[in-house]
Every structure is written in C-alpha cells, then in structure tokens.
Amino acid sequence: MPRIFFSPSNPNILKDVDSGSEDDTPQKRKHFGMDLKNYLKSMLPHLESSIRLASSGKNKVSANEIIQWSMSLEKLLANQAGQAVFRDFLKSEYSEENIEFWLACEDFKRTKTFDELRSKAEIIHQEFIQPNASKQVNIDFSARNVVTKELLDPTPTVFDEAQKMIYILMERDSYPRFLKSDIFLNFAERHQGNSVRG
C-alpha cells in the first residue's frame, strides 16, 4: 500500500510517499480509508465550528445585524462575525491586543474550576498585563496592581476592572473610527447590497 502523508495543519495535502510499494492490497487500502475516516470524524466538530464562523462572518450576516453593530460596541462584540470584522480593523491600527484581551476576559469569566481559573489568569497576566508583556494593554497602575496581587488566589472577577478600562478605550477611541472605516463600510455594502456611505 502507498504510504500517505496527511497534514493536520493543511488537510488538503494528501501525498503519496512511495507509490511503488508492493503490499498495496484492497484490505490495507480499506484499513487506511477507515483510519482517515476516523481522523476526519474526530476533526468534524472543529471543522463545523470553523465553517459556521466563516459563514456567519462572510455569507450569513443580515443587514439588521450590521445596523445593530453600528448602534453600540456591546452589540458588535456580542456577534462573532462582528468581533471578526472589528478585530480586522484593530489589526489595521496595530491595537488588536485590546479585543484579544477583552475576549480572553470573557472566556475567563466562564471558567468553572479553580485550577483552570488560576492557569488562565496566569496566561492572561503574562500575555497582556505584566511589564513587557507581548500584547500589553493600556491600563492604569491600580488595575494592573489588583490583577498581580490576586493571581495566586484568583476569582472570576479578577480582570473586571482592567477589562472595563479596555472596553471604554475601544468604545471611545477605536469604535467611532471603525464605523467610518473602509473595513466596516465595505463589509456593510457587501452584505446590505447597497451603499451605506454618507
């Protein structure tokens, strides 16, 4: 049977490594087919969620949803497709760490066990809060200090003050520019079928 290389990082790549192999029997081909089928079956939930997100982000956004996004940052962030478009805009301004931190805090608040809470708190602290963090967010000393002090015994509210600061920053600074940006206006035109430019 030919040895096939299957790359999980790029499932479109199936490569025949040695097509001249002598033990290419129907039974082995069937066995390989079952292995690949089982692998794909195990990946299905991840693929389905990616497809759903891609669909909601590119093909299934209603004009009403886009109108909702323009009413408040809260409505924009409550929608996965809205989050994706806003993140694209923030990337264009080199400030995507704000939405990434906000989303990490939302996920953190839904954490159930203490061990997981402590682990996630440490990761969020290292990535967004501590001095020289790779994606350091712009919060004041007091909020930064609260998080650092509570790291060893974190509660679901440990990032609340810092998250609120970043939300206000996005709401007052980035969100108004987002609504006037080509990224949002072009997206809205594609999904509403008419011009939304003033």
Side-chain angles (χ1 to χ4, degrees), residues 26-160:
Q27 293 87 358
K28 291 199 176 181
R29 279 197 299 271
K30 183 177 178 185
H31 177 71
F32 167 74
M34 290 304 293
D35 286 347
L36 182 57
K37 186 176 178 182
N38 288 336
Y39 177 80
L40 291 173
K41 193 173 180 183
S42 73
M43 291 298 293
L44 192 59
H46 306 290
L47 294 170
E48 283 176 344
S49 66
S50 297
I51 290 165
R52 259 197 314 274
L53 182 57
S55 296
S56 67
K58 297 197 180 198
N59 303 320
K60 303 267 182 177
V61 178
S62 70
N64 185 52
E65 283 176 297
I66 293 170
I67 291 167
Q68 295 290 313
W69 299 354
S70 65
M71 290 181 176
S72 73
L73 179 60
E74 181 181 1
K75 291 182 189 298
L76 175 69
L77 293 177
N79 182 289
Q80 280 191 319
Q83 291 171 13
V85 177
F86 189 49
R87 186 192 300 246
D88 284 345
F89 170 73
L90 292 177
K91 279 183 183 175
S92 76
E93 294 205 329
Y94 305 100
S95 60
E96 67 266 29
E97 70 277 359
N98 291 329
I99 191 170
E100 289 176 12
F101 173 69
W102 188 87
L103 289 169
C105 292
E106 288 296 290
D107 174 68
F108 177 79
K109 287 188 279 195
R110 293 189 293 269
T111 304
K112 302 296 183 192
T113 69
F114 178 75
D115 285 344
E116 197 179 357
L117 205 68
R118 189 162 55 186
S119 173
K120 285 184 179 181
E122 184 60 39
I123 290 167
I124 293 171
H125 180 262
Q126 286 176 5
E127 195 167 357
F128 299 103
I129 305 291
Q130 73 180 13
N132 304 315
S134 59
K135 299 178 181 179
Q136 191 179 58
V137 289
N138 186 13
I139 57 173
D140 66 24
F141 175 79
S142 170
R144 202 175 300 277
N145 213 20
V146 165
V147 172
T148 304
K149 281 183 178 176
E150 295 185 17
L151 265 187
L152 291 176
D153 192 23
T155 65
T157 61
V158 66
F159 294 107
D160 281 4

Side-chain angles (χ1 to χ4, degrees), residues 158-169:
V158 66
F159 294 107
D160 281 4
E161 186 182 346
Q163 185 186 22
K164 184 177 179 183
M165 286 180 162
I166 293 305
Y167 182 89
I168 291 169
L169 178 67

